[in-house]
Amino acid sequence: MDLSDVAYFKTFVHYFLHFVFPVFIALIFYREHWKKVYLILLATMLVDLDHLFANPIFDPNRGSIGFHFLHSYYAIAVYFLMLFFKGNIRIIGIGLLLHMLTDFQDFYCWNL
Ligand SMILES: [Zn+2]
């Protein structure tokens, strides 16, 4: 594998975690309402709106986790606590934690 193959794979993993993985979560854990759950999980991507308060808005050399306020460790602790609630709050918590995991692996797990 040369560098561009790895870069493609990284992009693939990123979009897979954002768009495809939530389908599995919805189907496995919320089969009866999977479409609604999938939409809620997708909607948690709005958490990236906190990037608008940063300058520059996007910097490939900056990890989101621990930088933007909705990506801070305090925020992540709140998302974790949301898992202890029922219904939509838990689903949103799952989506937000998955988002943090996606951002985390995107920045820390690739040697590009
Ligand atoms: Zn993010």
Side-chain angles (χ1 to χ4, degrees):
M1 284 214 300
D2 66 25
L3 190 64
S4 66
D5 290 332
V6 179
Y8 277 125
F9 186 60
K10 178 186 170 184
T11 306
F12 172 80
V13 169
H14 186 88
Y15 288 105
F16 181 88
L17 288 173
H18 266 326
F19 293 101
V20 184
F21 194 66
V23 176
F24 294 118
I25 293 178
L27 280 175
I28 292 169
F29 297 107
Y30 298 94
R31 180 164 285 270
E32 280 171 40
H33 316 282
W34 76 270
K35 282 181 195 158
K36 178 193 136 197
V37 169
Y38 179 62
L39 288 178
I40 294 174
L41 292 173
L42 281 189
T44 59
M45 260 188 274
L46 290 173
V47 74
D48 274 343
L49 286 176
D50 64 357
H51 290 44
L52 296 176
F53 297 91
N55 187 19
I57 288 173
F58 180 73
D59 176 356
N61 296 314
R62 177 184 70 205
S64 306
I65 305 296
F67 184 84
H68 306 289
F69 63 90
L70 293 176
H71 291 64
S72 67
Y73 294 102
Y74 296 110
I76 292 170
V78 172
Y79 306 155
F80 183 74
L81 291 176
M82 289 168 81
L83 298 181
F84 294 93
F85 289 80
K86 283 193 169 144
N88 291 349
I89 294 180
R90 178 182 290 167
I91 298 167
I92 294 167
I94 293 171
L96 290 169
L97 285 175
L98 179 64
H99 181 105
M100 297 305 138
L101 193 74
T102 304
D103 283 6
F104 180 87
Q105 63 82 33
D106 210 48
F107 190 70
Y108 291 103
C109 301
W110 301 86
N111 228 339
L112 291 175

